[in-house]
Structure formats: C-alpha cells, structure tokens
Amino acid sequence: MTAAAQRVRGGNVTWMALPALLMFLAFGVVPLLGVLALSFTTWNGLGEIVPSGTTSWRATLSDPGLPHALWVTFLIMALSWAVQTPLSILIGVFIAARKRYREVLAVLFFIPLLLSSAAIAITYKSLLDPNFGLGTGLGISWLNQDWLGNATLAMGVLIFIVSWQFVPFHSLIYQGAV
C-alpha cells in the first residue's frame, strides 16, 4: 500500500459529519432561535409582527395555573416512562430473537413510530369522542364516556397514548442493544 493510500485510510474524517451538522443547524437551531425571537413579539399569524418585549413571558410566568400545568406534564412524563420502559424491554428482546412471524409483528408494531403526533392526536380525539366516537360506532355503551373531559380518565388515556406512540422507538433501542 502506498503512503498516500495510508494517509487517506487513516486520515481525519470528521469532515464527514459536516452535512449532519448543517442539517441540524438548518432544521433544529435556526427554527428554535426564530421561535425564541417570536416569543418577544405580538403576532396573530397574519398581520404585522409587533415587538412586545417580555410581556408574553411575564404573563406566562405569572399565570396561577402554570405550576399545576407543569406538575401534570411532569406526572404524565414520569408515568409514561414507567409504562414504556418495561414494555419496551420486553418487546425489544422479543423482536431481536428469531421467532416465527417476528418480521410481520415488528412491522405492525412499529407503525405508531411512523405517524406524526398531530395525526395521532386527531385520530384519538375522534375515536374517544363521547358522541361520535368508537363507542357509538360499535354500539358499546361503556366506551361512550368523556375520556378527555374527566380528569381521572384523561390522565390514564394520555399515558396510554404517549406510551403507544413511543414504545416502538424505545423498543428499537433495546432491540439494538440485544
């Protein structure tokens, strides 16, 4: 092998990360900075953008409902994690093994990972509607509840939906670890 070939093989290849870095900057950092800049303005989405300083931040941070909203968000996150972790480990190990019908089950199982959060939210909102949802369509009376309007039911439903959406991603990580 020539000296030039050895330099190419053992050379520094960090420049290969440049496309990923540029994509991260273009689609991650720049939009984040744009949203941060917009948080210091007042804009209805159509008209003129008017600078408003820290008015929006002060209104949000002084809202009396903020601590409760943060607590509920933390609770959903923690309980979803407690549900997702054991399920993800079990499913990841199962899919990593050489079982019969594993490929078909893996494809069906990973469908939630391909869907956007907006599509999932719209679908579940429609399915859980007490007047026109799944219960009415199937004629099952106990499904005709206000799943998202009742505080105790809504917490369980949200934990289920978040877990259903993200268990495939964590299972993929555990499958790779196996």
Side-chain angles (χ1 to χ4, degrees), residues 27-63:
F27 296 104
V29 175
V30 171
L32 186 64
L33 293 175
V35 168
L36 182 65
L38 281 175
S39 73
F40 294 102
T41 65
T42 301
W43 183 40
N44 66 2
L46 297 175
E48 183 181 348
I49 299 174
V50 180
S52 63
T54 59
T55 305
S56 299
W57 284 94
R58 279 183 281 160
T60 300
L61 294 175
S62 64
D63 185 353

